[in-house]
Amino acid sequence: MRIIVGMTGGSGALYGVALLKALKELNIETHLVVSTMGEYVLDHETGMSLEEIKSYATVFHRNNDLAAKISSGSFKTDGMVIVPCSMKTLSTIAHGGSDNLLTRAADVVLKEDRKLVILPRETPLSVIHLENMLKLAKMGVRVMPLSPSFYHHPQTIGDIVNAIVARTLDQLGIEHHLAKRWGE
Ligand SMILES: Cc1cc2nc3c(=O)[nH]c(=O)nc-3n(C[C@H](O)[C@H](O)[C@H](O)COP(=O)(O)O)c2cc1C
């Protein structure tokens, strides 16, 4: 499998890091692109540099490289996950903008009718945010708000993060044993 992972400037960089690590463990090819604010929040929230996160991805693309492979529909992928997804990137995608590689890659995934999974983070949500999510959901985009669950009794932040990553892998149809399922 080949999955594009986008990380933007919404809070929750840890989720993106954990997803990349999980995909690497599963030997899945990843193409990573990080927005400028994604890089800032990554450093702010985790102390991790771009160099460090690059090591978890199979291929890293600069966000201003609009000529990268993932910019073209002819480059086949099995979908894209954007985590965390800021309201700005959500809005750009919902309006068909392709102002950087991350939003162009998402636009390509949509036009090619491939799987797009976004994990937006903001609170409270304005009508604009909600309408943008509804628009994408109507197109088949999987909208997974970064709202952690507690019914599985998480003990650590890692447990909380892994539960979200597990549900994300489910959406991509990837088998995993990252978190217990209800009833297990
Ligand atoms: C520490 C920090 C946390 C932020 N958290 C969020 C957030 O949770 N959701 C959001 O939509 N924007 C958040 N922002 C603002 C975005 O980073 C900003 O709107 C940016 O333009 C997003 O651009 P991007 O989508 O290209 O990364 C945050 C900014 C900072 C500095």
Side-chain angles (χ1 to χ4, degrees), residues 19-40:
L19 176 69
L20 279 171
K21 285 183 179 174
L23 291 171
K24 188 175 179 173
E25 285 266 306
L26 292 162
N27 288 319
I28 290 171
E29 181 179 321
T30 52
H31 287 252
L32 173 67
V33 55
V34 183
S35 71
T36 305
M37 282 308 288
E39 182 180 351
Y40 177 90

Side-chain angles (χ1 to χ4, degrees), residues 7-12 34-41 44-45 63 84-90 92 99-100 102-103 120-123 129:
M7 291 178 64
T8 72
S11 184
V34 183
S35 71
T36 305
M37 282 308 288
E39 182 180 351
Y40 177 90
V41 174
H44 180 76
E45 292 186 339
N63 200 23
C85 182
S86 75
M87 295 303 107
K88 180 234 173 189
T89 290
L90 167 75
T92 306
D99 58 343
N100 57 42
L102 197 154
T103 51
R121 216 298 319 177
E122 189 50 278
T123 198
H129 302 150

Side-chain angles (χ1 to χ4, degrees), residues 27-96:
N27 288 319
I28 290 171
E29 181 179 321
T30 52
H31 287 252
L32 173 67
V33 55
V34 183
S35 71
T36 305
M37 282 308 288
E39 182 180 351
Y40 177 90
V41 174
L42 175 73
D43 176 41
H44 180 76
E45 292 186 339
T46 73
M48 206 177 273
S49 68
L50 205 54
E51 284 310 309
E52 206 174 338
I53 190 120
K54 275 182 193 177
S55 66
Y56 297 119
T58 315
V59 183
F60 174 80
H61 302 282
R62 282 179 296 109
N63 200 23
N64 63 359
D65 183 9
L66 269 298
K69 286 178 180 175
I70 58 171
S71 194
S72 170
S74 65
F75 183 70
K76 288 203 168 175
T77 69
D78 296 289
M80 177 172 187
V81 181
I82 305 176
V83 57
C85 182
S86 75
M87 295 303 107
K88 180 234 173 189
T89 290
L90 167 75
S91 167
T92 306
I93 297 168
H95 292 85

